[in-house]
């Protein structure tokens, strides 16, 4: 029993102090940028201008059909090849944001199609310009419509942070492998790693449920 507690403490301390915060950072920052990319891509995908729709489609088809692991390698080795030297953490954020932004684009594009034409016309009739129509009326309603899909994509993003360990970033999975070599307890190590991933995904789910309930209460 004492060995179990001692080993658990040896495992949990680095996971809690280093792995979990880094994984949380790698989840929140790319999520923000991927949502921004999704909004822009969704608007372009629904544009009346064919060139803009084509640009959105190319972005979606390109990054949804490249395995994320391969894209991480391309980004990690590609930036230095082009003479752009950025830290691995920045590379990871960029890779996660671009990849998941393509999925967010399709989510937002579908959500924008649910907005009734009358609401758009009503916002225009009260003097709102096109930017105000999207920022104040269309986008907020769209996000509410597609909130469950956004949460689902967020959870996938959290899981994909485990792949980032291949470029040397000390998130949960990489630290778990390092601890395994020290403790020789792979089952226990990755059991705790799985628990941390579950907790992080659960927190995002609860935060989404809470914010959705608040918004629905506010709008009646």
């Amino acid at each position: 029993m004492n060995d179990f507690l001692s080993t658990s403490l040896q495992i949990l301390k680095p996971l809690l102090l280093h792995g979990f915060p880094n994984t949380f950072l790698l989840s929140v920052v790319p999520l923000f940028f991927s949502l921004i990319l999704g909004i822009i891509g969704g608007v372009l995908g629904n544009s009346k201008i064919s060139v803009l729709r084509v640009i959105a489609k190319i972005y979606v088809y390109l990054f949804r059909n490249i395995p994320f692991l391969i894209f991480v390698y391309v980004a990690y080795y590609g930036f230095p090849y082009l003479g752009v030297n950025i830290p691995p953490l920045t590379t990871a954020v960029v890779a996660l944001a671009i990849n998941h932004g393509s999925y967010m684009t399709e989510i937002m594009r579908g959500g924008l199609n649910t907005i009734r034409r009358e609401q758009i016309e009503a916002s225009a009739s009260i003097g709102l310009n096109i930017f105000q129509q999207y920022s104040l009326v269309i986008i907020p309603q769209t996000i509410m419509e597609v909130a469950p899909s956004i949460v689902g994509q967020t959870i996938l993003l959290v899981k994909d942070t485990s792949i980032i360990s291949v470029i040397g970033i000390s998130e949960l999975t990489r630290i778990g492998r390092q601890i395994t070599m020290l403790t020789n307890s792979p089952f226990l190590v990755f059991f705790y790693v799985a628990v941390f991933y579950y907790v992080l995904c659960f927190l995002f789910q609860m935060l989404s449920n809470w914010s959705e309930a608040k918004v629905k209460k506010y709008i009646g």
Side-chain angles (χ1 to χ4, degrees):
M1 184 64 178
N2 288 336
D3 288 342
F4 173 79
L5 292 176
S6 176
T7 303
S8 294
L9 183 61
Q10 190 178 0
I11 294 169
L12 289 170
K13 186 176 179 180
L15 289 178
L16 185 61
L17 293 180
H18 302 289
F20 189 82
N22 288 343
T23 298
F24 182 79
L25 177 66
L26 283 169
S27 301
V28 173
V29 178
L31 173 61
F32 172 78
F33 287 110
S34 68
L35 188 56
I36 296 298
L37 287 173
I39 292 172
I40 295 172
V43 172
L44 294 181
N46 274 0
S47 174
K48 295 179 181 179
I49 303 174
S50 59
V51 174
L52 298 181
R53 293 198 305 272
V54 169
I55 291 173
K57 285 182 179 180
I58 291 173
Y59 169 56
V60 170
Y61 290 160
L62 179 62
F63 291 103
R64 287 182 65 177
N65 291 293
I66 297 177
F68 182 60
L69 176 60
I70 302 302
F71 180 55
V72 170
Y73 280 130
V74 169
Y76 183 67
Y77 294 109
F79 283 125
Y81 182 78
L82 296 173
V84 180
N85 295 312
I86 60 176
L89 183 61
T90 304
T91 302
V93 170
V94 170
L96 284 164
I98 291 176
N99 181 265
H100 285 270
S102 65
Y103 292 91
M104 291 291 191
T105 292
E106 281 297 275
I107 291 172
M108 292 300 298
R109 188 183 65 81
L112 286 167
N113 288 330
T114 66
I115 303 300
R116 289 180 298 176
R117 186 69 188 175
E118 292 83 357
Q119 296 188 43
I120 301 175
E121 293 173 350
S123 63
S125 68
I126 61 175
L128 298 181
N129 59 42
I130 188 65
F131 177 79
Q132 291 172 324
Q133 290 175 37
Y134 272 96
S135 61
L136 300 177
V137 179
I138 301 172
I139 297 301
Q141 291 187 57
T142 301
I143 290 176
M144 283 303 306
E145 290 289 337
V146 300
S149 298
I150 291 176
V151 173
Q153 193 60 43
T154 300
I155 291 173
L156 292 175
L157 189 155
V158 173
K159 294 177 181 179
D160 274 353
T161 60
S162 62
I163 297 175
I164 296 300
S165 62
V166 299
I167 60 174
I169 295 177
S170 295
E171 43 68 66
L172 282 170
T173 301
R174 181 176 174 83
I175 290 179
R177 290 203 298 264
Q178 293 171 343
I179 298 171
T180 297
M181 291 186 289
L182 295 174
T183 62
N184 197 29
S185 301
F187 170 76
L188 195 58
V189 169
F190 285 102
F191 171 78
Y192 285 128
V193 169
V195 169
F196 275 105
Y197 276 114
Y198 173 82
V199 169
L200 188 55
C201 292
F202 182 78
L203 288 174
F204 276 114
Q205 181 72 63
M206 291 299 100
L207 178 62
S208 172
N209 292 344
W210 176 81
S211 60
E212 188 176 353
K214 285 289 185 181
V215 172
K216 285 183 177 179
K217 182 180 179 181
Y218 176 76
I219 64 178

